[in-house]
C-alpha cells in the first residue's frame, strides 16, 4: 500500500516583486533575468511567516480532499526556511490546524518535497490512513539582497497535498552526494567564544554553472530511472512536474529526454524558484486547471543543495 492524492492546495504571499523593481535596487535587468533564468516576477513575504504560507496551503488541500485535521495521522513539512529551528514548521502548522497527529520536518533542500512523499509512503506501509505533506519556503529571508546572482532567482510560497491510502505512487528514487561547495545556506555560528570556525555569511551561496550541470544531469538520469522502474516509456508520461529552479535547466533537460514542451510544466515566470515548495505549488496548479485525467501519469523531479536529487511517478 502506498498512497493516492486526495487534494492539493497552495499559498503565495500577496506582494509581487517584478524584475523591473529588482533592477531599481540591484545592478540587473528584466532582460538578463528573463533570458538567463526565465523569471518575470516572484512573490515575497512582507508580513507572512513560513508557517502562514504552509497553513494556507494546508487548509486549501484539506478543503479539497474533504479530510478534517483530526483525521490526519502525520504532518510532514519539507523546508529549509522554517521560522524556527525548533519547534519544527510541521509542529507550527499542526497547532494552527488544531490537529493532534505527530509532525516533523524533512530537509533535503529543493528535493525536500519528494523526500517527504517517500517518507509518507513509509508511514502508509505501516498503516497510516491520511497524511498531510507540505513544501513551504520563505527564501527571501535567506537571500543576500546585495548579491544579484542569487537575489533574482528565489521566491516565497507553499504547496500541500493530502494523501490517503492507495497505489498511485508507483516508482521513486532519492539521491544524495554530500557537497557544500556548489550550493549551501550556512547557519548562524552562534556566539560561543570557544567555537573556532570562521563565521560564514548565513545566506544562500551558489555556484551557478556547477548547479546548472548537476541539475540537468540529475533531471535526465532520475526521470529516466523512475520511468523505467515503473515499466513505462517517456512517451507514456502525461505531465512532467520539475522543480522550478531555472527555465533553461527545465528546457534543456526536456529537450534531451524528448519531452514535448506542453507536457513539461513551468510556472517559474510568475512564481520564481521556491525550493521545496515548487513541486507542490505546480502540482496544485495542474490539478486545479482541470487538465489532468484519471489514469494519467505525473513524473516529478527535483535537485538541490546537498547535493540531492529525487524523482517519482504518480498515477492519478
Ligand atoms: N543581472 C545581471 N548580470 C548578472 C546577474 C544578474 N542578476 N547575475 C550575474 N550576472 C553577471 C555576472 O556578474 C557575470 O558578469 P561578468 O561577465 O561581467 O563577470 C555575467 O552575468 C555572467 O555570469 P555567470 O555566472 O557566468 O552567468 P551564467 O551564464 O552562468 O548564468 C546563472 C548565471 C543564470 C545563475 C546560470 O549559471 C544558471 O542558470 N545556473 C543554474 C543556477 C540555478 O538555476 N539555481 C537555482 C537555484 S538552486 C536550486 O534550485 C537547486
Amino acid at each position: 500500500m502506498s498512497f493516492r492524492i486526495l487534494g492539493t492546495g497552495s499559498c503565495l504571499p500577496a506582494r509581487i516583486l517584478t524584475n523591473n523593481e529588482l533592477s531599481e535596487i540591484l545592478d540587473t535587468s528584466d532582460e538578463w533575468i528573463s533570458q538567463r533564468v526565465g523569471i518575470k516576477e516572484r512573490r515575497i513575504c512582507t508580513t507572512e511567516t513560513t508557517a502562514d504560507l504552509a497553513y494556507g496551503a494546508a487548509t486549501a488541500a484539506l478543503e479539497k480532499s474533504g479530510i478534517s485535521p483530526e483525521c490526519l495521522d502525520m504532518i510532514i513539512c519539507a523546508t529549509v526556511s522554517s521560522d524556527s529551528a525548533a519547534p519544527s514548521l510541521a509542529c507550527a502548522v499542526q497547532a494552527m490546524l488544531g490537529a493532534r497527529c505527530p509532525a516533523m520536518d524533512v530537509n533535503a533542500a529543493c528535493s525536500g518535497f519528494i523526500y517527504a512523499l517517500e517518507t509518507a509512503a513509509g508511514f502508509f506501509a505501516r498503516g497510516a490512513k491520511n497524511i498531510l505533506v507540505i513544501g513551504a519556503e520563505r527564501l527571501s529571508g535567506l537571500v543576500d539582497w546585495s548579491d544579484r546572482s542569487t537575489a533574482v532567482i528565489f521566491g516565497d510560497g507553499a504547496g500541500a497535498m493530502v494523501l490517503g491510502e492507495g497505489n498511485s505512487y508507483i516508482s521513486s528514487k532519492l539521491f544524495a552526494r554530500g557537497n557544500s561547495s556548489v550550493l549551501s545556506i550556512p547557519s548562524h555560528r552562534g556566539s560561543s567564544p570557544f567555537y573556532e570556525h570562521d563565521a560564514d555569511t548565513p545566506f544562500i551561496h551558489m555556484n551557478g554553472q556547477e548547479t546548472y550541470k548537476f541539475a540537468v544531469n540529475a533531471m535526465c538520469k532520475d526521470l529516466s530511472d523512475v520511468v523505467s522502474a515503473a515499466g513505462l516509456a517517456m512517451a507514456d508520461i502525461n505531465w512532467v512536474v520539475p522543480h522550478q529552479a531555472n527555465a533553461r535547466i527545465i528546457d534543456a533537460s526536456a529537450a534531451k529526454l524528448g519531452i514535448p514542451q506542453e507536457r513539461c510544466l513551468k510556472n517559474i515566470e510568475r512564481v520564481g524558484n521556491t525550493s521545496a515548495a515548487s513541486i507542490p505549488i505546480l502540482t496544485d496548479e495542474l490539478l486545479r486547471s482541470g487538465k489532468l485525467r484519471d489514469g494519467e501519469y505525473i513524473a516529478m523531479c527535483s535537485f538541490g543543495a546537498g547535493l540531492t536529487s529525487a524523482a517519482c511517478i504518480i498515477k492519478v
Side-chain angles (χ1 to χ4, degrees), residues 28 32 36 110 148 154 206 208-209 243 246 248 273 303:
T28 188
W32 195 96
R36 304 281 184 120
C110 302
R148 66 178 179 174
F154 297 97
M206 181 182 77
Q209 285 167 15
H243 167 47
N246 179 317
R248 289 192 313 163
N273 178 340
F303 38 82

Side-chain angles (χ1 to χ4, degrees), residues 214-266:
F214 171 70
V216 173
N217 284 332
M219 188 167 157
C220 290
K221 172 125 185 52
D222 293 351
L223 276 178
S224 301
D225 287 352
V226 290
V227 165
S228 69
L232 300 170
M234 204 57 80
D236 298 322
I237 302 302
N238 303 93
W239 305 101
V240 177
V241 177
H243 167 47
Q244 301 294 293
N246 179 317
R248 289 192 313 163
I249 291 173
I250 298 169
D251 293 344
S253 307
K256 278 189 176 198
L257 293 169
I259 300 167
Q261 279 201 348
E262 64 278 10
R263 286 201 267 133
C264 191
L265 302 178
K266 280 187 284 189

Side-chain angles (χ1 to χ4, degrees), residues 282-316:
L282 192 56
T283 308
D284 182 47
E285 289 183 3
L286 172 64
L287 265 67
R288 285 172 195 268
S289 72
K291 290 183 190 158
L292 192 66
R293 300 274 169 261
D294 276 355
E296 288 191 332
Y297 292 102
I298 304 176
M300 300 176 176
C301 63
S302 56
F303 38 82
L307 296 166
T308 59
S309 71
C312 67
I313 306 284
I314 292 178
K315 185 178 185 187
V316 287

